[in-house]
Amino acid sequence: MSFRLSAAAVLLVSLSPWAYAATVPAGAVLADKQEIVRHIKDEPASLDPVNAVGLPEIQVIRDLFEGLTNQDAQGNIVPGVAESWQSHDNKVWTFTLRSNAKWSNGDPVRAQDFVWGWRRLVDPANHSPFAWFAGLAGIENAEAIAKGTLPVDRLGVSAVDDTHLRVVLNRPLPWFPSLTANFSLYPVPQKVIAAEGGRWTQPGKLVGNGAYQLASRVVNENIVLVRNPHYWDNAHTVLNRVTFVPINEESAATKRYRAGDIDITESFPKNQYAMLKKMLPGQVFTPDQLGTYYYAFNTQKGPTADVRVRKALAWSIDRRVIAEKVLGTGEKPAWHFTPDVTAGFTPQESVLQQHSQAELNGQARALLAAAGYGPSRPLQLTLLYNTSENHQKIAIAVASMWKKNLGVNVTLQNQEWKTYIDSRNSGNFDVIRASWVGDYNEPSTFLSLLTDSHSGNIARFASPAYDALLAQASSETDARKRNDDYNQAERIIADQAPIAPIYQYTNGRLIKPWVKGYPIANPEDVAYSRELYLLKH
């Protein structure tokens, strides 16, 4: 969970380094060869944090670079390059950097490296896919700079001196330190980039400040990292070599895992879950993930513009059947949009939990009848999803529930990703499959999605009361009051039904029994290779 900070002056003192590096228990016998092979789902688009697109890049970049803060095995925020931080108002933050933090070429990591890196992130000339994160984090003028209406030197970040970084936000944000663990806010080496240009991420040229450095890279085959002797906590790193192997087919990755070529997979085919559990006892993991699978309703046009129709559809989805029968790999029913594992969120019981499914179906039929639909005038809907066997299975199940419980005639429509995105962006749907995995571990990463100005508001939900509630929560310094705000926001979602949360994600993977230290309980699945070690086997 994230640190919760008061409006009073706050100082967070560095934890002991070994509290979040590889922790080898007494008596453990380590393998002589500390080398691991990790599966990633695709070839990384870039190893430059500014050009990263998604998880394949992020997994590698976390080993090559380090931000102001890190996460421990449970997802708690712990010191990274910054050994401490403080704020008097949750709006102006000062981070104190470690004096022994160095780049892999031996140069010291300075506060100015963060200033330059963050300016580079929001500079519209760089077209960073994650430039929006600086705005979401509330860094002053980030959004205006990304839009090209202000120069980059107006970004609210400055170097007080070599070891003190000052950050000014556009609003109080008690959880800002947790956001600095995001890869997009990692520092980058200005001198190296200036000298090498676009070639700076090549083996032999890339300079990072993480626990590992780039040894070699063969596109679509492997990325090999070795220990960075200049890393400030290198003494507590155990693995000497990390090889990332990009494989986008789950079945192929699983096959190579079973052949002994891979030590950790990113996923496995869901239809092999039962077989793998039987064949590989103790190696199949399905931990909770900070993500929600949901259906979004078009609130602006068509039959779902009527809130009664939306609520009827939302209530008549049997979430237990979806999670336990259709999926059956550890997923939980989503009674709220915000997942149970989200830090700073204690959910109140929703209306969906207060009634049996039969009772919900009865209320749903009454709502649909009040909206003018029934046996003589059945509701006609199109349910859109992007092409995937999993999405299709869920769509078929939900359409069957709507037909059986409400008499709704559902047309299923699947589209390839790009076409689906076009339909989603243009509002060309009645009901559409969607999902959200948190960018940080705090309820606002989910609930802000339904604010009027958020680009991810697929349902085009517009509620001034909801927006005001989220704005109030973002400036609230009392954790209990903020939790009350979030529960009230969830009640608005339940009452207005712009979306129907269906299930909470799990993050299925295979891990060899001799691999230890994987942070399986981290809801964001943040796994640094420096935390891992191999037992003798």
Side-chain angles (χ1 to χ4, degrees), residues 303-325:
T304 53
D306 189 325
V307 65
R308 296 169 297 186
V309 171
R310 300 197 300 267
K311 288 175 75 170
L313 294 171
W315 287 5
S316 57
I317 297 173
D318 192 331
R319 290 157 177 79
R320 289 187 180 87
V321 168
I322 298 295
E324 297 168 11
K325 305 297 183 183

Side-chain angles (χ1 to χ4, degrees), residues 276-290:
L276 291 171
K277 287 270 288 185
K278 182 178 180 180
M279 300 295 293
L280 304 171
Q283 299 180 51
V284 182
F285 296 87
T286 56
D288 293 335
Q289 187 181 13
L290 194 69

